[in-house]
């Protein structure tokens, strides 16, 4: 049941965005559609986390390279926006992806530099982008 989440993340990584979205839907709807015929026995909680992974690690491309948080976000064609918060090394960061671009906001913690498509972005409290 966890395969489609990983397939979605990898499809995003490889630039197969339509395929990534199809895998995301399969992951997100597993219990709703009872696609494995076993929802009567309980939910697939780990698969719910897989849905989060599809968005954060897949669509937003979040990775950690040599201690640096990096993102390569894109917006699925079916969406107008998405956002999420991530806690990293004592900091809370909000990432928002919209049609007009991506913003990063440091909600709490000390200044941090993240990578956006390989370009450094220094985040300070109350600063965006």
């Amino acid at each position: 049941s966890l395969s489609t989440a990983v397939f979605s993340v990898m499809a995003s990584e490889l630039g197969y965005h339509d395929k990534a979205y199809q895998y995301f839907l399969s992951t997100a709807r597993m219990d709703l559609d009872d696609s494995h015929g076993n929802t009567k026995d309980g939910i697939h909680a780990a698969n719910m986390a897989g849905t989060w992974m599809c968005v954060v690690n897949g669509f937003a491309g979040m990775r950690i390279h040599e201690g640096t948080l990096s993102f390569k976000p894109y917006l699925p064609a079916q969406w107008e926006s998405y956002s999420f918060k991530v806690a990293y090394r004592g900091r809370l960061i909000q990432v928002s992806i919209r049609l007009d671009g991506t913003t990063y906001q440091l909600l709490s913690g000390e200044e941090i530099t993240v990578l956006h498509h390989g370009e450094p972005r220094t985040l300070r409290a109350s600063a965006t982008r």
Side-chain angles (χ1 to χ4, degrees), residues 5 15 24 28 37-38 58 70 95 99 110:
F24 161 77
N38 59 4
S70 69
V95 181
L99 291 171
E110 296 178 10

Side-chain angles (χ1 to χ4, degrees), residues 30-94:
M30 179 175 289
D31 287 329
L32 295 171
D33 296 338
D34 197 13
S35 57
H36 289 272
N38 59 4
T39 301
K40 66 180 175 16
D41 299 323
I43 61 166
H44 294 84
N47 199 60
M48 291 177 186
T51 302
W52 185 87
M53 288 175 51
C54 292
V55 174
V56 174
N57 301 116
F59 304 159
M62 187 181 87
R63 303 284 188 278
I64 299 171
H65 297 287
E66 299 178 2
T68 301
L69 196 58
S70 69
F71 300 89
K72 292 183 180 177
Y74 71 92
L75 188 62
Q78 299 84 344
W79 292 359
E80 293 181 12
S81 67
Y82 63 99
S83 82
F84 58 91
K85 295 175 184 172
V86 61
Y88 181 70
R89 295 189 172 181
R91 295 154 177 103
L92 183 61
I93 301 166
Q94 181 164 328

